[in-house]
Amino acid sequence: MKTSTAPSKWNLTNLLPCGPDTEQFHNHVTSLKETLASLEGNEQSAPFNENELHTLAKLIQQVESAESFYYCLTTEKTDTALLASIHTNISALKSHIRLLVSKQQEKVSHMSDEQFEEWFSYTKEKRFLKDLKTDSKSSTEETVSNFAAETLTSLENIYAQARQNLTVQVELAGEKTELSFAESSHAALSHRDSSTRNHVFRELNRTLEKQAGLFASIYNAMVDLRLKEQQVRSTDDLEESLKVNGISKPVLDAMWTAVDRSLPGLTVYLNIKARESGKEKISWHDLMTSSQETSDEIPFPEAVSGISDALAPIDRNQSTFINETIQSGWVDADPRDTKPPGGFCAPFMPEDESRISLNYDNSIDSARRLAHELGHAWHFKQMKNAPTLTFSDDTFEMTTAETASIFFETAYIDHLIENTSDALVKKAILGAKIERSLNYLMAIRGAFLFENRFYEARKKGPKDAEQLEHLSLQSQKEAFGSSLSEYEPFIWIKYVQFYQANVPFYNYPYSLGFLLSIGLLDRAKKDPHFTRKYQGFLSETGLLPLEELVEKHFDINLAHTDFWEQAIHQITQDIEQYRQL
């Protein structure tokens, strides 16, 4: 495999006028507040004219870029208190803008046909009509929603600070030391030495057990607030989540039904791993870390080259994009303790760029994660950046996002397996692929079951840390088909997705995106027109629900279990190949 020079540090200087200086960023956000105040001062009895609507649409994009920039700065050595204040200001800006748009929607709804025709004749941007003619919330509902959004953001910040303030006492190389939450989470799952992984995992969980009451209070408060908002608006969070993600309940049910039917075939791998380790059953931690037993390393430049090579047979443009992205300074791969576990891709739609953060440690898993985040960046690049009066939070389908990211990830892992001649390394990579598949279908299923059941339980009153732990363990046991010896008691603290202010049920989109991506990858090998169809599919994100886009571009009905079962069959084939190796 060829390698090349690949910059591993991102460039944040050319994205916003303020650059990466936190004080200047604060001033930039203040200037956005002034723009909003000016718009609010222009409010009349009639709706905004087209120039004012364009100003509002531009402001929405600027606020979204500021929010992405905030997430980038959280990984740098910056003033965390000032950043938290900036994040609160951004959240307040979004709430006020949503209220302003709601008022415009209300004005349009009260216009006579003649008034509307006259107003509309001066509006060339027809997308604004779609945004303003949509069903609007009442002023009471909008006020409640804005209050909930701002309060949830504050609770998310409290969670982030509480997690950041955690210190884990461990002994490494015979010396006692302190690790941050991010450092200990990474070491517990990714350290090369198994005894070190186990030691850090135990100490991290001991630390979380002592602080579990605080995190239980935060999570209880967030869910209680969402439930109260549901009562006012007569809505349901799961139903709204499905709508935002572009699928119907029958699609979700069809996917989970296919997963349930396939559990006996999927748990075969868990039994194989138990036999290999000389145990009756393996634990959750065994499963999440066994892929680290391979000593094979992939330096960052080699990973970039491999991802590019993997995508070339599918779409030469994707392959070229990978190299251009790295050379343009979109990716920050250098390990830092300020980075959260995992990684993220922050879009800057007006600038037509993205920024990717991850702790790259030369492991196969970090190379896989790099491919995953680059898939997000490719998706953002394909999306149409048309002026709109809605935030992407309200229209961006995480199901489509995860399909795009896991598409890149799986293509890369398959490429590694196909191009590895060493049988032991091939088996290790295949094992890591299978374990990742089980994570999408079992671990994430457990997270979904837990969240869904906690929402129901919380309606009867707050639950303490012990009750949360019990509910989490029950959900995991069901999702893994009772095939593990021990489960993870503090998933509900470690998974940041549970505490995100604007995205409840941020779990099933991963499972759906995973299965949809491997189903589409299979079609990419057979359909000569796949590249055109796939690009069209991604470019129309948010214009039609995912369910309709998949049927439009690929003629697939996601409400039928057939497609999901065919996708899962590819995983059972991987398990059979692993058994033979």
Side-chain angles (χ1 to χ4, degrees), residues 235-268:
T235 59
D236 175 85
D237 265 344
L238 180 56
E239 287 179 9
E240 288 208 339
S241 172
L242 292 171
K243 183 178 179 181
V244 168
N245 279 297
I247 63 170
S248 60
K249 187 68 162 46
V251 170
L252 185 66
D253 291 342
M255 181 185 72
W256 288 141
T257 296
V259 172
D260 283 339
R261 288 175 181 171
S262 304
L263 268 183
L266 297 174
T267 55
V268 166

PDB file of all heavy atoms in Angstrom, residues 235-268:
ATOM      1  N   THR A 235     -47.204  15.696  21.963  1.00  0.00           N
ATOM      2  CA  THR A 235     -46.322  14.963  21.058  1.00  0.00           C
ATOM      3  C   THR A 235     -45.649  13.824  21.814  1.00  0.00           C
ATOM      4  O   THR A 235     -45.842  13.650  23.015  1.00  0.00           O
ATOM      5  CB  THR A 235     -45.232  15.882  20.480  1.00  0.00           C
ATOM      6  OG1 THR A 235     -44.462  16.436  21.560  1.00  0.00           O
ATOM      7  CG2 THR A 235     -45.836  17.003  19.658  1.00  0.00           C
ATOM      8  N   ASP A 236     -44.845  13.069  21.089  1.00  0.00           N
ATOM      9  CA  ASP A 236     -44.085  11.961  21.658  1.00  0.00           C
ATOM     10  C   ASP A 236     -42.669  12.042  21.099  1.00  0.00           C
ATOM     11  O   ASP A 236     -42.482  12.190  19.893  1.00  0.00           O
ATOM     12  CB  ASP A 236     -44.735  10.627  21.273  1.00  0.00           C
ATOM     13  CG  ASP A 236     -43.910   9.441  21.729  1.00  0.00           C
ATOM     14  OD1 ASP A 236     -44.062   9.033  22.894  1.00  0.00           O
ATOM     15  OD2 ASP A 236     -43.106   8.940  20.928  1.00  0.00           O
ATOM     16  N   ASP A 237     -41.662  11.957  21.981  1.00  0.00           N
ATOM     17  CA  ASP A 237     -40.281  12.142  21.542  1.00  0.00           C
ATOM     18  C   ASP A 237     -39.850  11.109  20.507  1.00  0.00           C
ATOM     19  O   ASP A 237     -39.145  11.435  19.556  1.00  0.00           O
ATOM     20  CB  ASP A 237     -39.325  12.100  22.739  1.00  0.00           C
ATOM     21  CG  ASP A 237     -39.009  13.497  23.259  1.00  0.00           C
ATOM     22  OD1 ASP A 237     -39.267  14.460  22.523  1.00  0.00           O
ATOM     23  OD2 ASP A 237     -38.508  13.625  24.380  1.00  0.00           O
ATOM     24  N   LEU A 238     -40.251   9.854  20.678  1.00  0.00           N
ATOM     25  CA  LEU A 238     -39.855   8.838  19.703  1.00  0.00           C
ATOM     26  C   LEU A 238     -40.511   9.110  18.356  1.00  0.00           C
ATOM     27  O   LEU A 238     -39.862   9.008  17.306  1.00  0.00           O
ATOM     28  CB  LEU A 238     -40.208   7.437  20.198  1.00  0.00           C
ATOM     29  CG  LEU A 238     -39.839   6.294  19.240  1.00  0.00           C
ATOM     30  CD1 LEU A 238     -38.352   6.325  18.891  1.00  0.00           C
ATOM     31  CD2 LEU A 238     -40.215   4.940  19.835  1.00  0.00           C
ATOM     32  N   GLU A 239     -41.790   9.482  18.372  1.00  0.00           N
ATOM     33  CA  GLU A 239     -42.472   9.798  17.112  1.00  0.00           C
ATOM     34  C   GLU A 239     -41.794  10.973  16.412  1.00  0.00           C
ATOM     35  O   GLU A 239     -41.591  10.955  15.191  1.00  0.00           O
ATOM     36  CB  GLU A 239     -43.946  10.128  17.379  1.00  0.00           C
ATOM     37  CG  GLU A 239     -44.798   8.923  17.741  1.00  0.00           C
ATOM     38  CD  GLU A 239     -46.245   9.302  18.011  1.00  0.00           C
ATOM     39  OE1 GLU A 239     -46.601  10.473  17.754  1.00  0.00           O
ATOM     40  OE2 GLU A 239     -47.010   8.445  18.479  1.00  0.00           O
ATOM     41  N   GLU A 240     -41.441  12.006  17.185  1.00  0.00           N
ATOM     42  CA  GLU A 240     -40.764  13.161  16.591  1.00  0.00           C
ATOM     43  C   GLU A 240     -39.383  12.774  16.077  1.00  0.00           C
ATOM     44  O   GLU A 240     -38.942  13.241  15.029  1.00  0.00           O
ATOM     45  CB  GLU A 240     -40.654  14.292  17.613  1.00  0.00           C
ATOM     46  CG  GLU A 240     -41.975  14.974  17.904  1.00  0.00           C
ATOM     47  CD  GLU A 240     -41.805  16.422  18.323  1.00  0.00           C
ATOM     48  OE1 GLU A 240     -40.704  16.790  18.772  1.00  0.00           O
ATOM     49  OE2 GLU A 240     -42.773  17.182  18.190  1.00  0.00           O
ATOM     50  N   SER A 241     -38.696  11.914  16.819  1.00  0.00           N
ATOM     51  CA  SER A 241     -37.381  11.452  16.390  1.00  0.00           C
ATOM     52  C   SER A 241     -37.480  10.703  15.066  1.00  0.00           C
ATOM     53  O   SER A 241     -36.667  10.909  14.159  1.00  0.00           O
ATOM     54  CB  SER A 241     -36.772  10.546  17.466  1.00  0.00           C
ATOM     55  OG  SER A 241     -35.582   9.944  17.010  1.00  0.00           O
ATOM     56  N   LEU A 242     -38.475   9.834  14.946  1.00  0.00           N
ATOM     57  CA  LEU A 242     -38.666   9.086  13.705  1.00  0.00           C
ATOM     58  C   LEU A 242     -38.960  10.028  12.543  1.00  0.00           C
ATOM     59  O   LEU A 242     -38.437   9.858  11.435  1.00  0.00           O
ATOM     60  CB  LEU A 242     -39.808   8.077  13.866  1.00  0.00           C
ATOM     61  CG  LEU A 242     -39.545   6.910  14.819  1.00  0.00           C
ATOM     62  CD1 LEU A 242     -40.824   6.117  15.058  1.00  0.00           C
ATOM     63  CD2 LEU A 242     -38.455   5.997  14.274  1.00  0.00           C
ATOM     64  N   LYS A 243     -39.777  11.045  12.812  1.00  0.00           N
ATOM     65  CA  LYS A 243     -40.115  12.015  11.761  1.00  0.00           C
ATOM     66  C   LYS A 243     -38.880  12.780  11.310  1.00  0.00           C
ATOM     67  O   LYS A 243     -38.627  12.932  10.108  1.00  0.00           O
ATOM     68  CB  LYS A 243     -41.182  12.984  12.278  1.00  0.00           C
ATOM     69  CG  LYS A 243     -41.660  13.981  11.226  1.00  0.00           C
ATOM     70  CD  LYS A 243     -42.757  14.882  11.785  1.00  0.00           C
ATOM     71  CE  LYS A 243     -43.225  15.894  10.736  1.00  0.00           C
ATOM     72  NZ  LYS A 243     -44.283  16.791  11.279  1.00  0.00           N
ATOM     73  N   VAL A 244     -38.085  13.250  12.284  1.00  0.00           N
ATOM     74  CA  VAL A 244     -36.861  13.990  11.953  1.00  0.00           C
ATOM     75  C   VAL A 244     -35.884  13.101  11.189  1.00  0.00           C
ATOM     76  O   VAL A 244     -35.146  13.572  10.318  1.00  0.00           O
ATOM     77  CB  VAL A 244     -36.205  14.541  13.239  1.00  0.00           C
ATOM     78  CG1 VAL A 244     -34.801  15.058  12.965  1.00  0.00           C
ATOM     79  CG2 VAL A 244     -37.061  15.653  13.833  1.00  0.00           C
ATOM     80  N   ASN A 245     -35.893  11.803  11.492  1.00  0.00           N
ATOM     81  CA  ASN A 245     -34.974  10.878  10.832  1.00  0.00           C
ATOM     82  C   ASN A 245     -35.535  10.282   9.547  1.00  0.00           C
ATOM     83  O   ASN A 245     -34.904   9.417   8.936  1.00  0.00           O
ATOM     84  CB  ASN A 245     -34.572   9.764  11.799  1.00  0.00           C
ATOM     85  CG  ASN A 245     -33.467  10.215  12.741  1.00  0.00           C
ATOM     86  OD1 ASN A 245     -32.365  10.525  12.306  1.00  0.00           O
ATOM     87  ND2 ASN A 245     -33.768  10.276  14.026  1.00  0.00           N
ATOM     88  N   GLY A 246     -36.720  10.731   9.156  1.00  0.00           N
ATOM     89  CA  GLY A 246     -37.241  10.380   7.839  1.00  0.00           C
ATOM     90  C   GLY A 246     -37.741   8.963   7.687  1.00  0.00           C
ATOM     91  O   GLY A 246     -37.776   8.427   6.572  1.00  0.00           O
ATOM     92  N   ILE A 247     -38.140   8.336   8.802  1.00  0.00           N
ATOM     93  CA  ILE A 247     -38.679   6.977   8.699  1.00  0.00           C
ATOM     94  C   ILE A 247     -39.965   6.871   9.510  1.00  0.00           C
ATOM     95  O   ILE A 247     -40.232   7.684  10.397  1.00  0.00           O
ATOM     96  CB  ILE A 247     -37.673   5.909   9.187  1.00  0.00           C
ATOM     97  CG1 ILE A 247     -37.367   6.090  10.677  1.00  0.00           C
ATOM     98  CG2 ILE A 247     -36.413   5.923   8.344  1.00  0.00           C
ATOM     99  CD1 ILE A 247     -36.573   4.936  11.272  1.00  0.00           C
ATOM    100  N   SER A 248     -40.742   5.852   9.199  1.00  0.00           N
ATOM    101  CA  SER A 248     -41.980   5.595   9.923  1.00  0.00           C
ATOM    102  C   SER A 248     -41.743   4.503  10.965  1.00  0.00           C
ATOM    103  O   SER A 248     -40.733   3.796  10.930  1.00  0.00           O
ATOM    104  CB  SER A 248     -43.073   5.153   8.946  1.00  0.00           C
ATOM    105  OG  SER A 248     -42.679   3.967   8.272  1.00  0.00           O
ATOM    106  N   LYS A 249     -42.687   4.357  11.875  1.00  0.00           N
ATOM    107  CA  LYS A 249     -42.582   3.313  12.901  1.00  0.00           C
ATOM    108  C   LYS A 249     -42.504   1.921  12.272  1.00  0.00           C
ATOM    109  O   LYS A 249     -41.737   1.071  12.756  1.00  0.00           O
ATOM    110  CB  LYS A 249     -43.786   3.415  13.845  1.00  0.00           C
ATOM    111  CG  LYS A 249     -43.740   2.491  15.061  1.00  0.00           C
ATOM    112  CD  LYS A 249     -42.658   2.877  16.036  1.00  0.00           C
ATOM    113  CE  LYS A 249     -42.862   2.278  17.422  1.00  0.00           C
ATOM    114  NZ  LYS A 249     -43.208   0.869  17.463  1.00  0.00           N
ATOM    115  N   PRO A 250     -43.258   1.631  11.181  1.00  0.00           N
ATOM    116  CA  PRO A 250     -43.122   0.307  10.557  1.00  0.00           C
ATOM    117  C   PRO A 250     -41.704   0.002  10.076  1.00  0.00           C
ATOM    118  O   PRO A 250     -41.282  -1.157  10.100  1.00  0.00           O
ATOM    119  CB  PRO A 250     -44.101   0.376   9.381  1.00  0.00           C
ATOM    120  CG  PRO A 250     -45.159   1.332   9.833  1.00  0.00           C
ATOM    121  CD  PRO A 250     -44.414   2.375  10.624  1.00  0.00           C
ATOM    122  N   VAL A 251     -40.954   1.021   9.647  1.00  0.00           N
ATOM    123  CA  VAL A 251     -39.568   0.792   9.219  1.00  0.00           C
ATOM    124  C   VAL A 251     -38.710   0.389  10.416  1.00  0.00           C
ATOM    125  O   VAL A 251     -37.937  -0.576  10.351  1.00  0.00           O
ATOM    126  CB  VAL A 251     -38.988   2.047   8.539  1.00  0.00           C
ATOM    127  CG1 VAL A 251     -37.479   1.903   8.320  1.00  0.00           C
ATOM    128  CG2 VAL A 251     -39.683   2.306   7.213  1.00  0.00           C
ATOM    129  N   LEU A 252     -38.843   1.137  11.525  1.00  0.00           N
ATOM    130  CA  LEU A 252     -38.074   0.808  12.725  1.00  0.00           C
ATOM    131  C   LEU A 252     -38.433  -0.590  13.225  1.00  0.00           C
ATOM    132  O   LEU A 252     -37.550  -1.385  13.577  1.00  0.00           O
ATOM    133  CB  LEU A 252     -38.338   1.847  13.816  1.00  0.00           C
ATOM    134  CG  LEU A 252     -37.509   1.708  15.096  1.00  0.00           C
ATOM    135  CD1 LEU A 252     -36.029   1.965  14.817  1.00  0.00           C
ATOM    136  CD2 LEU A 252     -38.012   2.661  16.179  1.00  0.00           C
ATOM    137  N   ASP A 253     -39.727  -0.895  13.237  1.00  0.00           N
ATOM    138  CA  ASP A 253     -40.172  -2.214  13.704  1.00  0.00           C
ATOM    139  C   ASP A 253     -39.648  -3.328  12.801  1.00  0.00           C
ATOM    140  O   ASP A 253     -39.248  -4.399  13.282  1.00  0.00           O
ATOM    141  CB  ASP A 253     -41.698  -2.265  13.759  1.00  0.00           C
ATOM    142  CG  ASP A 253     -42.275  -1.387  14.860  1.00  0.00           C
ATOM    143  OD1 ASP A 253     -41.510  -1.026  15.782  1.00  0.00           O
ATOM    144  OD2 ASP A 253     -43.473  -1.059  14.800  1.00  0.00           O
ATOM    145  N   ALA A 254     -39.648  -3.085  11.484  1.00  0.00           N
ATOM    146  CA  ALA A 254     -39.158  -4.103  10.542  1.00  0.00           C
ATOM    147  C   ALA A 254     -37.680  -4.383  10.780  1.00  0.00           C
ATOM    148  O   ALA A 254     -37.238  -5.545  10.754  1.00  0.00           O
ATOM    149  CB  ALA A 254     -39.393  -3.643   9.103  1.00  0.00           C
ATOM    150  N   MET A 255     -36.902  -3.324  11.028  1.00  0.00           N
ATOM    151  CA  MET A 255     -35.469  -3.506  11.275  1.00  0.00           C
ATOM    152  C   MET A 255     -35.231  -4.301  12.555  1.00  0.00           C
ATOM    153  O   MET A 255     -34.469  -5.276  12.564  1.00  0.00           O
ATOM    154  CB  MET A 255     -34.772  -2.153  11.364  1.00  0.00           C
ATOM    155  CG  MET A 255     -33.269  -2.267  11.603  1.00  0.00           C
ATOM    156  SD  MET A 255     -32.457  -0.673  11.848  1.00  0.00           S
ATOM    157  CE  MET A 255     -33.043  -0.228  13.495  1.00  0.00           C
ATOM    158  N   TRP A 256     -35.895  -3.897  13.659  1.00  0.00           N
ATOM    159  CA  TRP A 256     -35.679  -4.604  14.926  1.00  0.00           C
ATOM    160  C   TRP A 256     -36.205  -6.039  14.856  1.00  0.00           C
ATOM    161  O   TRP A 256     -35.628  -6.946  15.473  1.00  0.00           O
ATOM    162  CB  TRP A 256     -36.349  -3.862  16.079  1.00  0.00           C
ATOM    163  CG  TRP A 256     -35.708  -2.575  16.498  1.00  0.00           C
ATOM    164  CD1 TRP A 256     -36.348  -1.433  16.875  1.00  0.00           C
ATOM    165  CD2 TRP A 256     -34.305  -2.282  16.628  1.00  0.00           C
ATOM    166  NE1 TRP A 256     -35.453  -0.457  17.222  1.00  0.00           N
ATOM    167  CE2 TRP A 256     -34.182  -0.946  17.083  1.00  0.00           C
ATOM    168  CE3 TRP A 256     -33.147  -3.014  16.396  1.00  0.00           C
ATOM    169  CZ2 TRP A 256     -32.953  -0.337  17.312  1.00  0.00           C
ATOM    170  CZ3 TRP A 256     -31.915  -2.398  16.616  1.00  0.00           C
ATOM    171  CH2 TRP A 256     -31.829  -1.090  17.067  1.00  0.00           C
ATOM    172  N   THR A 257     -37.278  -6.268  14.107  1.00  0.00           N
ATOM    173  CA  THR A 257     -37.790  -7.633  13.936  1.00  0.00           C
ATOM    174  C   THR A 257     -36.747  -8.506  13.249  1.00  0.00           C
ATOM    175  O   THR A 257     -36.501  -9.655  13.655  1.00  0.00           O
ATOM    176  CB  THR A 257     -39.094  -7.625  13.107  1.00  0.00           C
ATOM    177  OG1 THR A 257     -40.100  -6.911  13.828  1.00  0.00           O
ATOM    178  CG2 THR A 257     -39.580  -9.045  12.837  1.00  0.00           C
ATOM    179  N   ALA A 258     -36.114  -7.956  12.208  1.00  0.00           N
ATOM    180  CA  ALA A 258     -35.068  -8.704  11.496  1.00  0.00           C
ATOM    181  C   ALA A 258     -33.889  -8.998  12.420  1.00  0.00           C
ATOM    182  O   ALA A 258     -33.313 -10.092  12.382  1.00  0.00           O
ATOM    183  CB  ALA A 258     -34.612  -7.919  10.272  1.00  0.00           C
ATOM    184  N   VAL A 259     -33.528  -8.023  13.262  1.00  0.00           N
ATOM    185  CA  VAL A 259     -32.420  -8.231  14.207  1.00  0.00           C
ATOM    186  C   VAL A 259     -32.783  -9.323  15.205  1.00  0.00           C
ATOM    187  O   VAL A 259     -31.975 -10.225  15.489  1.00  0.00           O
ATOM    188  CB  VAL A 259     -32.075  -6.915  14.941  1.00  0.00           C
ATOM    189  CG1 VAL A 259     -31.066  -7.172  16.059  1.00  0.00           C
ATOM    190  CG2 VAL A 259     -31.513  -5.889  13.957  1.00  0.00           C
ATOM    191  N   ASP A 260     -34.003  -9.274  15.749  1.00  0.00           N
ATOM    192  CA  ASP A 260     -34.437 -10.284  16.722  1.00  0.00           C
ATOM    193  C   ASP A 260     -34.411 -11.688  16.116  1.00  0.00           C
ATOM    194  O   ASP A 260     -33.968 -12.650  16.753  1.00  0.00           O
ATOM    195  CB  ASP A 260     -35.853  -9.964  17.217  1.00  0.00           C
ATOM    196  CG  ASP A 260     -35.864  -8.834  18.236  1.00  0.00           C
ATOM    197  OD1 ASP A 260     -34.802  -8.577  18.840  1.00  0.00           O
ATOM    198  OD2 ASP A 260     -36.918  -8.204  18.424  1.00  0.00           O
ATOM    199  N   ARG A 261     -34.889 -11.809  14.886  1.00  0.00           N
ATOM    200  CA  ARG A 261     -34.915 -13.116  14.222  1.00  0.00           C
ATOM    201  C   ARG A 261     -33.500 -13.655  13.991  1.00  0.00           C
ATOM    202  O   ARG A 261     -33.292 -14.867  13.924  1.00  0.00           O
ATOM    203  CB  ARG A 261     -35.637 -13.002  12.877  1.00  0.00           C
ATOM    204  CG  ARG A 261     -37.145 -12.814  12.973  1.00  0.00           C
ATOM    205  CD  ARG A 261     -37.737 -12.588  11.588  1.00  0.00           C
ATOM    206  NE  ARG A 261     -39.179 -12.375  11.635  1.00  0.00           N
ATOM    207  CZ  ARG A 261     -39.907 -11.980  10.596  1.00  0.00           C
ATOM    208  NH1 ARG A 261     -39.316 -11.762   9.420  1.00  0.00           N
ATOM    209  NH2 ARG A 261     -41.209 -11.801  10.714  1.00  0.00           N
ATOM    210  N   SER A 262     -32.547 -12.734  13.870  1.00  0.00           N
ATOM    211  CA  SER A 262     -31.176 -13.130  13.535  1.00  0.00           C
ATOM    212  C   SER A 262     -30.296 -13.348  14.761  1.00  0.00           C
ATOM    213  O   SER A 262     -29.127 -13.730  14.614  1.00  0.00           O
ATOM    214  CB  SER A 262     -30.535 -12.056  12.640  1.00  0.00           C
ATOM    215  OG  SER A 262     -31.308 -11.826  11.478  1.00  0.00           O
ATOM    216  N   LEU A 263     -30.831 -13.106  15.968  1.00  0.00           N
ATOM    217  CA  LEU A 263     -30.013 -13.219  17.177  1.00  0.00           C
ATOM    218  C   LEU A 263     -29.306 -14.574  17.309  1.00  0.00           C
ATOM    219  O   LEU A 263     -28.117 -14.616  17.648  1.00  0.00           O
ATOM    220  CB  LEU A 263     -30.863 -12.947  18.421  1.00  0.00           C
ATOM    221  CG  LEU A 263     -30.907 -11.503  18.935  1.00  0.00           C
ATOM    222  CD1 LEU A 263     -31.737 -11.417  20.203  1.00  0.00           C
ATOM    223  CD2 LEU A 263     -29.506 -10.962  19.190  1.00  0.00           C
ATOM    224  N   PRO A 264     -29.987 -15.704  17.059  1.00  0.00           N
ATOM    225  CA  PRO A 264     -29.283 -16.995  17.191  1.00  0.00           C
ATOM    226  C   PRO A 264     -28.043 -17.082  16.304  1.00  0.00           C
ATOM    227  O   PRO A 264     -26.998 -17.594  16.735  1.00  0.00           O
ATOM    228  CB  PRO A 264     -30.347 -18.014  16.774  1.00  0.00           C
ATOM    229  CG  PRO A 264     -31.648 -17.346  17.089  1.00  0.00           C
ATOM    230  CD  PRO A 264     -31.427 -15.898  16.769  1.00  0.00           C
ATOM    231  N   GLY A 265     -28.137 -16.577  15.076  1.00  0.00           N
ATOM    232  CA  GLY A 265     -26.986 -16.613  14.177  1.00  0.00           C
ATOM    233  C   GLY A 265     -25.890 -15.644  14.588  1.00  0.00           C
ATOM    234  O   GLY A 265     -24.698 -15.933  14.424  1.00  0.00           O
ATOM    235  N   LEU A 266     -26.273 -14.500  15.149  1.00  0.00           N
ATOM    236  CA  LEU A 266     -25.291 -13.494  15.554  1.00  0.00           C
ATOM    237  C   LEU A 266     -24.547 -13.909  16.818  1.00  0.00           C
ATOM    238  O   LEU A 266     -23.349 -13.645  16.965  1.00  0.00           O
ATOM    239  CB  LEU A 266     -25.985 -12.146  15.770  1.00  0.00           C
ATOM    240  CG  LEU A 266     -26.644 -11.520  14.536  1.00  0.00           C
ATOM    241  CD1 LEU A 266     -27.414 -10.256  14.917  1.00  0.00           C
ATOM    242  CD2 LEU A 266     -25.608 -11.195  13.461  1.00  0.00           C
ATOM    243  N   THR A 267     -25.251 -14.569  17.741  1.00  0.00           N
ATOM    244  CA  THR A 267     -24.604 -14.961  19.000  1.00  0.00           C
ATOM    245  C   THR A 267     -23.628 -16.124  18.814  1.00  0.00           C
ATOM    246  O   THR A 267     -22.867 -16.431  19.730  1.00  0.00           O
ATOM    247  CB  THR A 267     -25.657 -15.336  20.060  1.00  0.00           C
ATOM    248  OG1 THR A 267     -26.519 -16.364  19.537  1.00  0.00           O
ATOM    249  CG2 THR A 267     -26.496 -14.131  20.446  1.00  0.00           C
ATOM    250  N   VAL A 268     -23.633 -16.746  17.640  1.00  0.00           N
ATOM    251  CA  VAL A 268     -22.637 -17.786  17.347  1.00  0.00           C
ATOM    252  C   VAL A 268     -21.231 -17.228  17.539  1.00  0.00           C
ATOM    253  O   VAL A 268     -20.343 -17.901  18.073  1.00  0.00           O
ATOM    254  CB  VAL A 268     -22.822 -18.321  15.904  1.00  0.00           C
ATOM    255  CG1 VAL A 268     -21.603 -19.141  15.464  1.00  0.00           C
ATOM    256  CG2 VAL A 268     -24.084 -19.166  15.806  1.00  0.00           C
TER     257      VAL A 268
END
